[in-house]
Amino acid sequence: MFKVITLKEMDQVGHEILKNAGCEVYTSKGASEADFIKEISDLAVDAIFVRTDKITPAMMDASPNLKCIAKQGVGVDNIDLEYATKKGIQVVFSAGGNSNAVAEHTVLLMLMCAVRYRYVDRVLRDDKNFDVRYTLKNTYELRGKTLGLLGCGRIGQMVASIAHNGFGMNIIGYDPFPPKNPAVPIEMMEKDEVLAKADFISLHMPSLPSTVHSIGYDDFCKMKPTAIFVNCARGDVIVEEDLVRVLKEGKILGAGLDVFDQEPFSFDNPLITLENVIITPHTAASTEQSVVQCTTLSCECLLEVINGKPVSKPQCCANKLA
């Protein structure tokens, strides 16, 4: 009987899929790498199911039976992919399973920033001022505005579709690998042009050695002073201190963030106190539909791997084994 450990509680659909296939499923009680290593070793697991916890070489070495690491989600930057490949461990993820949820959340943050939701909510609740609506400045409708995408992959294109078809926004974008047949027209241009021309900048770049901290103070300063920056991709792609600086200096109007350089962040993070920032705790992919879709897809791939079968959806394989 195969043994699977999930480092965070798995949706019930995953438990049912794995148990119906004859697997024993264990939910970790740990909270640190050392805890995880002990559990993986004691159980001699065949597979690890993970969300955002880091999977280190030491964790992979803890079980001689480990054949698969399954990620609930898309980005696999929390997994040491190079080491997994070296060990012959297949890493699978739920390609496309959360795309719509993240795209909708991105537009949600755009809307909340555009109407200064955090400021209005605070003044209404704390100051008991219903007349805040008469003093509002710098609030905008999305219609007719320009959305700039940094990264035009699956999620970026879904955001573009919602923004263009739903709100009549103009779409421009930068991507080193431009999409061949985007869902809606995207005028491709250089990154600096996108930064300078867009009213909203939405980041959809993965966390890679080439992208980590690749967007900093000079890039933010190229944006319009009325522009809004949104990030539902990966927090470490930007230099977070630089974003805080331009927001405090009024170089840009605001930001909507679902991801951060360090997660979970410290609650003395200055982003928490800034009134021109909307923050959510990496919840973009946490809709019921997204969780079920991602869990189902990752568990199905996991079962194929541990049973020695080729993964039927090769787009879900994060690494290629010899």
Side-chain angles (χ1 to χ4, degrees):
M1 181 177 287
F2 294 118
K3 296 179 180 179
V4 180
I5 187 169
T6 173
L7 302 188
K8 288 283 188 294
E9 182 56 66
M10 181 193 300
D11 188 82
Q12 187 59 33
V13 69
H15 285 276
E16 292 173 0
I17 289 170
L18 296 177
K19 288 180 179 178
N20 288 342
C23 295
E24 292 181 2
V25 183
Y26 301 87
T27 300
S28 171
K29 296 181 175 61
S32 68
E33 181 190 20
D35 294 335
F36 294 146
I37 289 171
K38 185 176 189 311
E39 292 173 326
I40 291 166
S41 176
D42 289 348
L43 294 168
V45 299
D46 298 277
I48 299 172
F49 186 93
V50 62
R51 296 182 71 172
T52 59
D53 293 295
K54 288 192 178 298
I55 302 291
T56 65
M59 292 167 67
M60 296 184 218
D61 288 340
S63 171
N65 300 328
L66 186 62
K67 305 172 187 68
C68 182
I69 299 168
K71 167 71 182 276
Q72 178 190 320
V74 179
V76 291
D77 47 290
N78 59 317
I79 302 168
D80 192 322
L81 206 57
E82 183 177 352
Y83 193 77
T85 304
K86 179 181 176 182
K87 292 272 293 184
I89 298 168
Q90 183 68 66
V91 178
V92 295
F93 65 101
S94 42
N98 61 15
S99 297
N100 186 69
V102 176
E104 289 188 3
H105 196 89
T106 299
V107 177
L108 167 71
L109 293 180
M110 289 168 58
L111 287 164
M112 293 178 79
C113 289
V115 298
R116 298 185 64 197
Y117 176 83
R118 185 173 187 271
Y119 169 75
V120 172
D121 185 70
R122 182 191 64 76
V123 172
L124 177 63
R125 292 174 187 269
D126 297 346
D127 299 348
K128 297 179 174 56
N129 180 7
F130 198 84
D131 288 340
V132 63
R133 56 186 170 156
Y134 297 125
T135 60
L136 275 178
K137 296 178 181 179
N138 296 320
T139 59
Y140 303 100
E141 298 175 15
L142 270 56
R143 180 166 298 279
K145 296 293 184 182
T146 297
L147 168 62
L149 301 172
L150 299 182
C152 302
R154 181 187 292 109
I155 295 174
Q157 290 183 55
M158 293 184 80
V159 172
S161 182
I162 296 170
H164 180 73
N165 295 328
F167 296 97
M169 298 185 77
N170 306 307
I171 314 297
I172 60 177
Y174 161 77
D175 196 306
F177 305 100
K180 294 181 180 179
N181 297 297
V184 296
I186 302 175
E187 184 181 355
M188 303 301 297
M189 53 186 66
E190 294 301 314
K191 183 176 78 170
D192 286 355
E193 290 183 273
V194 173
L195 292 170
K197 293 181 178 181
D199 300 299
F200 294 82
I201 299 288
S202 187
L203 180 63
H204 299 284
M205 297 164 62
S207 176
L208 300 169
S210 60
T211 63
V212 169
H213 297 158
S214 62
I215 299 175
Y217 185 78
D218 290 343
D219 298 296
F220 290 121
C221 287
K222 291 169 184 170
M223 295 169 60
K224 296 178 180 180
T226 55
I228 288 167
F229 177 78
V230 177
N231 187 4
C232 287
R234 284 293 182 266
D236 63 1
V237 174
I238 72 167
V239 181
E240 200 167 89
E241 313 89 80
D242 290 352
L243 176 60
V244 170
R245 181 181 169 188
V246 295
L247 288 164
K248 287 182 174 179
E249 292 176 350
K251 293 284 197 305
I252 65 174
L253 186 62
L257 307 171
D258 185 55
V259 290
F260 307 89
D261 198 1
Q262 299 294 323
E263 295 185 10
F265 60 35
S266 168
F267 281 88
D268 60 3
N269 189 317
L271 289 168
I272 294 176
T273 62
L274 295 178
E275 206 150 50
N276 55 347
V277 179
I278 302 289
I279 56 173
T280 52
H282 207 147
T283 55
S286 297
T287 64
E288 289 185 12
Q289 298 97 318
S290 172
V291 169
V292 169
Q293 288 165 181
C294 288
T295 303
T296 299
L297 190 51
S298 293
C299 285
E300 288 174 347
C301 293
L302 180 158
L303 286 172
E304 290 174 334
V305 173
I306 62 177
N307 281 291
K309 299 178 181 179
V311 177
S312 57
K313 295 182 175 66
Q315 69 270 26
C316 294
C317 293
N319 57 342
K320 185 176 182 180
L321 303 182

